[in-house]
Amino acid sequence: MSGHSKWATIKRKKAVLDSKRGKIFTKLIKEITIAARDGGDVNGNPRLRLAVDNAKAANMPLDNIERAIKKATGELEGVTYHELTYEGYGPAGAAVLVEVATDNKNRTVAEVRHLFSKNGGSMGETGSVAWMFDRKGVITLPAEGKKEDDIMEIILEAGADDLTTEEDYFEITTSIESFETVRRALVDKNFTIENASLQWIAKNMIEVKGEDAEKTLKMIEGLEDLDDVQNVFSNADIVE
């Protein structure tokens, strides 16, 4: 359905690198801990079930998963994380959304603000750029010889919005309402899910090139490397 997305490719390469460095475990443990505050039973807590499935897909040891759940439910001593979203602009005016999970709001906002200003960007007020994005479900499948038509049949019947086809993976976009239905349909058909999450998808992309592209990438990579940052979204269409 949809064609190549350079931004999606950059994001996926970064995710693969993070998984190799083990950084992805930190983000997943925080997500499990936050999700488990609403109950430690995966069958009655859709967000926790999703977080645990993503952790298993990343080959996280079961002991780590269980320990994170126990910390959230009070069985073990743990940290309380606060979920926040910061908004701002890159050096070329591209919109940036930063999702964080932190136990120290003052530290985190200072670190995020520093990354923005250091790279020619600026933080904005709440709501300043969020309107440029839609909240969507995104599911990534490794290609591994799978046929696009087979996937298309399953996801359309389950209510998906779109399918992006790349050389070595498929990316499925859904509404928030259809996200879990589409994900379960793929799991039931024994498809391997690389990652499934709710993301902010830009309504329109802004082309960024040259020095601005380099600064934008450096800023986003710096933000993603912060321990408290869970996700970074932008409408920057990076032209290399």
Side-chain angles (χ1 to χ4, degrees):
M1 294 168 73
S2 291
H4 178 75
S5 169
K6 188 171 293 184
W7 177 247
T9 300
I10 291 171
K11 289 284 290 181
R12 186 169 183 268
K13 286 180 179 178
K14 182 69 164 56
V16 171
L17 178 61
D18 281 349
S19 66
K20 289 180 179 178
R21 294 187 309 190
K23 184 174 175 59
I24 193 69
F25 278 17
T26 301
K27 293 183 178 183
L28 288 168
I29 285 175
K30 283 188 176 182
E31 175 60 21
I32 291 170
T33 303
I34 292 169
R37 292 193 304 224
D38 293 328
D41 179 10
V42 294
N43 295 316
N45 186 335
R47 182 175 179 181
L48 179 60
R49 181 168 63 243
L50 173 62
V52 169
D53 285 351
N54 281 336
K56 289 179 179 177
N59 297 314
M60 181 183 289
L62 187 59
D63 285 349
N64 293 30
I65 296 173
E66 293 177 345
R67 190 159 53 248
I69 293 174
K70 288 179 179 179
K71 285 182 178 181
T73 56
E75 294 180 61
L76 294 175
E77 184 177 351
V79 176
T80 299
Y81 294 112
H82 305 278
E83 291 183 283
L84 302 165
T85 301
Y86 299 117
E87 304 179 35
Y89 301 89
V96 180
L97 286 175
V98 185
E99 291 183 334
V100 307
T102 179
D103 61 344
N104 187 323
K105 299 178 185 179
N106 292 332
R107 177 194 67 221
T108 304
V109 71
E111 291 177 342
V112 170
R113 182 178 288 111
H114 174 69
L115 261 299
F116 271 97
S117 60
K118 178 182 177 181
N119 294 284
S122 61
M123 288 186 67
E125 299 294 327
T126 300
S128 58
V129 303
W131 61 271
M132 302 181 193
F133 298 80
D134 288 323
R135 192 68 164 166
K136 297 281 188 179
V138 179
I139 302 168
T140 307
L141 307 176
E144 297 178 347
K146 300 180 182 70
K147 294 181 179 179
E148 180 178 339
D149 289 345
D150 293 341
I151 297 174
M152 186 81 74
E153 182 179 353
I154 295 169
I155 66 171
L156 288 182
E157 185 175 339
D161 293 342
D162 199 5
L163 173 65
T164 301
T165 304
E166 302 292 351
E167 184 178 348
D168 59 347
Y169 72 97
F170 297 100
E171 186 173 270
I172 300 156
T173 306
T174 79
S175 65
I176 295 177
E177 294 77 16
S178 300
F179 173 64
E180 183 61 15
T181 301
V182 175
R183 192 179 78 89
R184 291 309 310 174
L186 291 165
V187 170
D188 291 344
K189 293 292 184 179
N190 297 315
F191 279 92
T192 300
I193 294 179
E194 184 178 85
N195 184 262
S197 60
L198 295 179
Q199 302 184 19
W200 290 103
I201 305 299
K203 297 175 183 177
N204 296 291
M205 304 297 286
I206 295 177
E207 188 175 279
V208 182
K209 56 177 123 178
E211 185 178 346
D212 284 336
E214 293 177 9
K215 288 182 178 179
T216 300
L217 275 178
K218 186 176 180 181
M219 183 184 77
I220 291 174
E221 288 172 354
L223 287 167
E224 289 182 325
D225 282 339
L226 294 177
D227 290 340
D228 296 331
V229 170
Q230 293 291 89
N231 295 292
V232 180
F233 305 102
S234 177
N235 67 350
D237 183 11
I238 306 296
V239 179
E240 299 174 322

